[in-house]
Amino acid sequence: MDTIHKEVVAFQHVSKVFNNETVALKDFDLSIKEGEFLSFLGPSGCGKSTALRMVAGLGEATKGSVKVFDGSPKEIIKETNDLAFVFQDANLLPWRTVLDNVLLPLELRGGNKKKHKQEAIRVLEMVGLKEYLKSYPRQLSGGMKMRVSIARALAAKPKMLLMDEPFGALDEITRQTLQMELLDIWQKENMTILFVTHNVYEAVFLSTRIAVMSASPGRLSSLIDVKLPFPRRLKVRTEQEFTDYVDIASDRLENGNERKELA
Amino acid sequence: MSMPSVEVTKTRDLLTKTSEKPKSKSFNKFKQVYLGPIIAFTIFIAIWQAVPTILDLKHYILPKPTDVVGAAISDWHLLWPAVQITVVESLVGFLVSAVIGILVSIILASSKILERSIYPYAIVLQTIPVVAVAPIVVIWFGAGYNSIVVISFLIGFFPVISNTLMGLNSVDKNMDDLFLLYNASKWQRMWKLRIPSALPYMMAGLKISCTLSIVGAIVGEYIAGIGGGKGGLGYSITVAAIQVKTSYLFACGIAAAILGIGFYLLVSLFANSMLKSWHESAVKGEK
Ligand SMILES: Nc1ncnc2c1ncn2[C@@H]1O[C@H](COP(=O)(O)OP(=O)(O)O)[C@@H](O)[C@H]1O
Ligand SMILES: [Mg+2]
C-alpha cells in the first residue's frame, strides 16, 4: 500500500467555529493519499466528526479549505458517487427492507433498476447478509444493521468511505469481526477509508496511518504510520509490534491532551 | 466473509419465537384483559337498572337500561336511518379533512417560507371554536348536508394538519444528512424520507380526527338542521329532547358513542396496517 499515490483529501489550514464560540477545529492541516486507511483518533469533542463531515460537504470551514479529489466536497457529492458516509448508528430507514435500504442510494441517483438490484445483492453478499434481503431493520441485531449500513455505502461503488465511529455501539466480539471484514472490503474494493474512532486498539488494528487529535481547540497533534503487514488477523493484537504501536498512540494521545491542559 | 454463526441463530430464534402463540395462555389473557371490564360493565348496568326503581324516578328523568333498549327497538325505524345519515356525514367530513389536511401539510412543509408565514394562522384558526363559526358556514353552504359536512371537516382538519406537519419536520438529522449526501432532490426527500417518517404522526392525527368528525357531524346537525331531507343522530337528539322522549334520547346518545368507538377502532386498524412494516413499539425508540 506504500506506492506513490495521488492526494485525495487536503485539509488546508482549516478552522471551524460553531456559533461564534466553540472552536471545533483550529488550523487543521492534513493531506490524505489514495488507498490509505486513515483513522482520526482523539478524545470525545476534539472535532473528529466535524473534520470528517467537512470531507463530505456536511458543514463548511470557517477558515481555510477542504479539497476532495481536487474539487470542493459539495461538487463531488453533487456530481459523483465517489463519497459514501457511514454513521455511528446504522441510520437505516425502518420502513424499508434490507434490500430496499441498500437500494436507496442507487434509487436516488436514478438509472437501471435491474442493474441496481444486482449491485445491491452483490454488496449484501459481501457483508454476509444475502439471506436477509426481505428482513426489516428491527429484526436485525446491531452488528447486522451496521453491515447493512456498510453495504448501502458500498452500493454506489464509492472511491472513498467516510466512517464516523461505526462500531462504537457494538459489543467487542462483533466489533472485531466487523473490523476484519472492513479490512477485507477495503483491500478488495481498492478504496480510501477515513475512519473516526476514540479507541486506540481499533485505530492501530485498522489503519495505515493514524491522525492523533487533541481537544479544545481541536488540533492535529501527531501522525503515526502503522507499518503492520496486511492481511491483519485477530492474533496480530497479541504481537509485540502491535502493542508497541498501541503504546505510541496512547502516549501521543495523552501528551497531546496534556499539553492543552497546561496551556 | 461470513456472518458469525452465533448472531445468525440468535435472530432466527427470535423470528420463530414471535410467530408461535401458546394456546393455553389465551384463557389467562381473557381473564386479565377482558374479564374485569365485563364485570364492571355488568355491575354498572345493574346499578343503573336499580337506581330509578329504588328512587322512584320517572322514565323521562332517568330511563332504565331496559327502557332505553325498548325505545331503541320500538323506534328502530327512526334510529337506524339517523345513524346511517350521521355515518355518511362524518365519513365524508373525515375523508375530506384527512385528504386536505395531508395535502396542505405537504405543501406547507415543502417550503419553509410558506410554512413560516401560514402555519401561525393555522394555529390561530385552530383555537376558534367551530361552534361559533358554524352559523356562518350555514349561511354560505345552506341548511343541511353540505354545511354539516363542512363543519365536520373543520373540526377534523386541524389535528391532521398539526400532527402531519410535526411529523414531516421530525426527520432524524442523520437521515437528512444521508439524503443530502446522495444528492436527493427536494421531492425525493419528501416522498422517500419525510412522508414515511411522518406516517406515525399522520396516523395519530387521523385517529383524533375521526372521532372529532362525528362530533362535528352531530353539532352540525344541531346547527344546520336537515335542510329538507331526513335528519341524522344530531337531529334526532334535538327532536327527542323537545318531545322529552328521554329513553330514545339515551338510545341516540349511546348510538353516537358506539359510532365513535367503532370509527376509532376502524381507523386504528387501518393505522396499524399502515405502520406494520414500520416498527411496533419503536416510533422513535430502538436506539
Ligand atoms: N452543529 C454544532 N453546533 C455547535 N457546536 C457543535 C456542533 N457540532 C459539534 N459542535 C462542537 O464542536 C466540538 C467538536 O465536536 P465533534 O466534531 O462532534 O467532536 P468528536 O466527533 O471528536 O467527538 C464539540 O465541542 C461540539 O460540542
Ligand atoms: Mg463524533
Side-chain angles (χ1 to χ4, degrees):
Chain A
M1 281 287 144
D2 258 341
T3 40
I4 320 132
H5 285 297
K6 66 171 191 239
E7 180 182 75
V8 285
V9 178
F11 287 92
Q12 284 157 350
H13 306 288
V14 174
S15 294
K16 175 76 183 183
V17 184
F18 284 111
N19 311 325
N20 292 322
E21 45 177 333
T22 315
V23 184
L25 284 179
K26 192 164 185 198
D27 209 23
F28 194 86
D29 233 351
L30 180 63
S31 159
I32 299 164
K33 303 279 186 296
E34 191 174 23
E36 276 197 273
F37 195 127
L38 183 129
S39 291
F40 294 94
L41 173 67
S44 185
C46 71
K48 306 183 293 294
S49 298
T50 304
L52 194 72
R53 291 168 57 85
M54 273 180 191
V55 178
L58 301 170
E60 283 184 46
T62 313
K63 255 194 233 157
S65 75
V66 181
K67 285 236 162 72
V68 184
F69 302 122
D70 271 333
S72 84
K74 287 224 160 78
E75 274 168 27
I76 299 294
I77 287 295
K78 248 205 172 92
E79 285 154 23
T80 71
N81 294 334
D82 292 349
L83 283 178
F85 204 103
V86 177
F87 297 83
Q88 169 159 11
D89 52 354
N91 217 1
L92 303 175
L93 305 179
W95 55 86
R96 281 177 172 239
T97 60
V98 165
L99 178 64
D100 287 340
N101 261 292
V102 174
L103 279 171
L104 179 76
L106 303 170
E107 210 178 287
L108 291 174
R109 300 281 187 185
N112 181 331
K113 284 203 172 126
K114 211 167 187 178
K115 250 193 199 150
H116 288 172
K117 198 168 168 193
Q118 281 171 2
E119 189 52 32
I121 291 174
R122 182 187 80 91
V123 288
L124 278 166
E125 205 165 9
M126 190 149 56
V127 298
L129 283 182
K130 207 183 165 212
E131 282 154 51
Y132 292 86
L133 300 183
K134 298 227 148 43
S135 303
Y136 284 94
R138 69 184 139 88
Q139 298 171 305
L140 307 179
S141 68
M144 290 159 89
K145 279 186 209 163
M146 188 42 73
R147 285 189 166 88
V148 179
S149 188
I150 292 173
R152 175 176 63 191
L154 297 175
K157 296 209 168 128
K159 291 186 184 149
M160 179 152 47
L161 198 54
L162 310 172
M163 308 180 90
D164 193 352
E165 305 200 34
F167 308 148
L170 304 178
D171 62 87
E172 189 58 28
I173 295 169
T174 311
R175 182 184 312 153
Q176 291 185 359
T177 317
L178 279 172
Q179 284 168 356
M180 277 187 289
E181 294 183 6
L182 180 61
L183 283 181
D184 288 342
I185 291 170
W186 168 64
Q187 295 200 296
K188 197 148 84 196
E189 305 279 293
N190 276 322
M191 282 183 303
T192 309
I193 296 185
L194 309 195
F195 190 99
V196 164
T197 180
H198 54 242
N199 182 324
V200 179
Y201 296 90
E202 184 167 67
V204 173
F205 182 76
L206 291 173
S207 319
T208 56
R209 198 150 63 113
I210 301 174
V212 182
M213 295 174 66
S214 54
S216 5
R219 282 168 301 114
L220 180 63
S221 68
S222 79
L223 286 164
I224 304 169
D225 277 310
V226 183
K227 296 208 167 96
L228 297 170
F230 291 94
R232 295 176 185 170
R233 291 291 132 199
L234 262 184
K235 68 174 181 4
V236 174
R237 289 166 191 268
T238 54
E239 284 165 15
Q240 186 58 48
E241 220 185 338
F242 181 87
T243 324
D244 291 344
Y245 277 116
V246 170
D247 283 343
I248 297 170
S250 304
D251 274 352
R252 304 265 180 100
L253 201 55
E254 217 168 284
N255 290 336
N257 286 286
E258 258 168 22
R259 224 180 293 151
K260 155 216 109 189
E261 270 153 33
L262 291 174
Chain B
M1 189 185 318
S2 68
M3 300 275 315
S5 57
V6 192
E7 212 176 10
V8 177
T9 45
K10 242 198 218 159
T11 339
R12 293 244 168 92
D13 276 356
L14 247 157
L15 292 178
T16 48
K17 254 181 209 151
T18 46
S19 63
E20 59 185 36
K21 275 183 194 151
K23 277 173 201 134
S24 59
K25 279 191 181 158
S26 64
F27 180 68
N28 273 340
K29 194 190 168 198
F30 172 79
K31 268 207 312 205
Q32 276 175 5
V33 180
Y34 300 110
L35 200 58
I38 288 173
I39 291 173
F41 179 74
T42 315
I43 293 174
F44 171 73
I45 295 290
I47 293 175
W48 181 7
Q49 182 74 25
V51 166
T53 320
I54 294 166
L55 299 183
D56 197 22
L57 292 174
K58 294 280 179 271
H59 67 87
Y60 54 81
I61 302 292
L62 180 60
K64 295 190 279 288
T66 45
D67 296 334
V68 175
V69 172
I73 292 169
S74 66
D75 283 341
W76 185 251
H77 62 286
L78 297 174
L79 185 59
W80 182 235
V83 168
Q84 285 174 311
I85 288 168
T86 303
V87 166
V88 172
E89 290 162 350
S90 42
L91 201 63
V92 175
F94 169 67
L95 289 179
V96 174
S97 54
V99 171
I100 295 190
I102 290 172
L103 278 180
V104 169
S105 307
I106 291 174
I107 292 168
L108 286 187
S110 68
S111 150
K112 263 275 156 268
I113 299 172
L114 216 55
E115 186 179 342
R116 282 212 196 103
S117 30
I118 292 177
Y119 189 58
Y121 295 104
I123 294 171
V124 172
L125 284 177
Q126 188 172 10
T127 59
I128 297 174
V130 173
V131 183
V133 297
I136 303 172
V137 172
V138 179
I139 290 173
W140 288 343
F141 294 90
Y145 181 79
N146 289 345
S147 290
I148 296 167
V149 167
V150 170
I151 292 167
S152 168
F153 154 74
L154 283 178
I155 291 189
F157 172 67
F158 289 111
V160 178
I161 229 187
S162 52
N163 276 279
T164 307
L165 261 182
M166 197 198 294
L168 289 171
N169 289 322
S170 72
V171 172
D172 187 85
K173 178 80 177 56
N174 282 335
M175 300 271 194
D176 233 13
D177 286 345
L178 189 76
F179 273 65
L180 205 68
L181 284 169
Y182 291 128
N183 198 33
S185 69
K186 188 165 122 185
W187 291 108
Q188 280 178 324
R189 273 187 59 223
M190 184 58 89
W191 291 115
K192 293 179 196 282
L193 179 64
R194 298 181 74 188
I195 291 176
S197 294
L199 213 56
Y201 295 82
M202 258 183 230
M203 293 302 136
L206 293 187
K207 282 194 215 170
I208 300 170
S209 157
C210 76
T211 44
L212 285 179
S213 71
I214 294 178
V215 174
I218 290 175
V219 169
E221 285 172 10
Y222 289 165
I223 295 163
I226 56 170
K230 279 186 176 173
L233 273 178
Y235 177 71
S236 297
I237 288 170
T238 328
V239 172
I242 292 168
Q243 298 176 347
V244 205
K245 284 168 71 181
T246 314
S247 301
Y248 184 60
L249 194 57
F250 267 72
C252 290
I254 292 170
I258 292 173
L259 207 62
I261 296 166
F263 209 7
Y264 181 80
L265 289 179
L266 265 179
V267 173
S268 299
L269 214 65
F270 169 73
N272 288 347
S273 76
M274 288 293 283
L275 298 179
K276 202 172 62 206
S277 64
W278 251 87
H279 24 173
E280 297 101 291
S281 56
V283 167
K284 263 281 151 193
E286 213 196 340
K287 269 184 205 162

